[in-house]
Amino acid sequence: MNLTFPEAEAPDDEAREIGRKLFAGQTEFLKGVVAMSGMPPADRIEVCFAGRSNVGKSSLINALTGRKGLARASNTPGRTQEINFFTVGEAHYLVDLPGYGFANAPLAVVQKWQKLLKSYLSGRPTLRRVFVLIDARHGAKAVDEEIMGLLDKSAVTFQVVMTKTDKVSKAELAKSLEITRASLAKHPAAFPEIVLTSSEKSDGIETLRAIIATID
């Protein structure tokens, strides 16, 4: 019996090298965007990262690019309200979406962010995939279901990346995966593989690099 939403396998040598070369090149912060009018030209392949606050998004981006201070982590959930664009080599944008789950953010701020997010997801023709980050200590939660539903409506393929896998036991990870797979089964836009990562241990980083580098 085939497992629904299996773990992504390690890349072969060719894909691994393509991923290494992409992220060994120059990676720079381009700009932070607060309105669609400020978006950079849609002239290259684009992937973005979404996740609830404190899921480890900045740490993962820094691990992928090999630059510790590229994406700035914040201890204040919902503080960063910009869509941050990074150039990766000559042909890719890596996009960091604001952390969702605004426990302390004013309603007007939340509504403005949600409007911008919806416009971005439905209006970027070069957006190839959204990586939805899920904390391995918890599995998918209701707030993750909301972003997955929005991605379904926007017809944007998304792939789940489990973060902080070094923080859980094998049994705890299995439980989180079970919860997450049950959630993903409801979403037609979900890509049928899950990537397991640890930014601290570099687990899964080569796999994710190769996936990003080989997306058409």
Side-chain angles (χ1 to χ4, degrees):
M1 178 175 156
N2 291 329
L3 183 64
T4 304
F5 297 101
E7 300 169 24
E9 295 183 359
D12 60 26
D13 290 344
E14 181 180 3
R16 182 183 293 107
E17 181 63 9
I18 292 171
R20 186 196 68 78
K21 284 184 176 179
L22 174 62
F23 285 94
Q26 193 168 23
T27 304
E28 299 289 345
F29 172 71
L30 178 64
K31 66 187 304 187
V33 175
V34 296
M36 288 299 290
S37 59
M39 293 284 172
D43 59 359
R44 58 179 69 193
I45 292 173
E46 198 165 308
V47 298
C48 76
F49 292 83
R52 63 179 180 267
S53 300
N54 292 342
V55 75
K57 185 154 50 68
S58 296
S59 296
L60 182 64
I61 291 172
N62 292 338
L64 281 170
T65 60
R67 294 182 56 185
K68 291 183 179 180
L70 186 67
R72 295 180 181 177
S74 171
N75 292 324
T76 305
R79 187 176 122 186
T80 304
Q81 300 301 321
E82 298 179 335
I83 295 178
N84 292 313
F85 281 79
F86 302 88
T87 57
V88 183
E90 299 294 327
H92 288 75
Y93 282 134
L94 190 155
V95 185
D96 181 12
L97 298 181
Y100 51 81
F102 301 97
N104 300 312
L107 180 60
V109 171
V110 176
Q111 291 176 333
K112 181 180 179 181
W113 175 81
Q114 288 176 337
K115 182 179 179 181
L116 175 60
L117 178 61
K118 290 177 182 177
S119 298
Y120 167 72
L121 291 174
S122 61
R124 291 295 284 183
T126 51
L127 179 60
R128 293 292 187 267
R129 190 169 303 174
V130 175
F131 293 99
V132 176
L133 276 53
I134 304 290
D135 193 322
R137 296 173 297 182
H138 309 297
K141 291 188 171 183
V143 69
D144 300 309
E145 289 272 10
E146 292 179 20
I147 194 75
M148 292 177 192
L150 178 58
L151 291 163
D152 287 336
K153 292 176 183 177
S154 303
V156 177
T157 300
F158 70 88
Q159 183 167 9
V160 160
V161 176
M162 303 291 286
T163 62
K164 306 182 182 182
T165 57
D166 60 305
K167 306 296 185 186
V168 295
S169 66
K170 287 185 177 180
E172 289 169 332
L173 179 58
K175 181 62 176 178
S176 291
L177 282 168
E178 181 182 353
I179 292 169
T180 303
R181 285 171 175 140
S183 177
L184 287 174
K186 309 170 191 174
H187 297 283
F191 190 82
E193 287 183 343
I194 296 173
V195 185
L196 305 184
T197 66
S198 163
S199 297
E200 286 191 15
K201 304 291 186 182
S202 295
D203 295 341
I205 298 302
E206 282 190 339
T207 300
L208 191 51
R209 284 174 178 162
I211 290 170
I212 293 169
T214 55
I215 289 175
D216 293 327

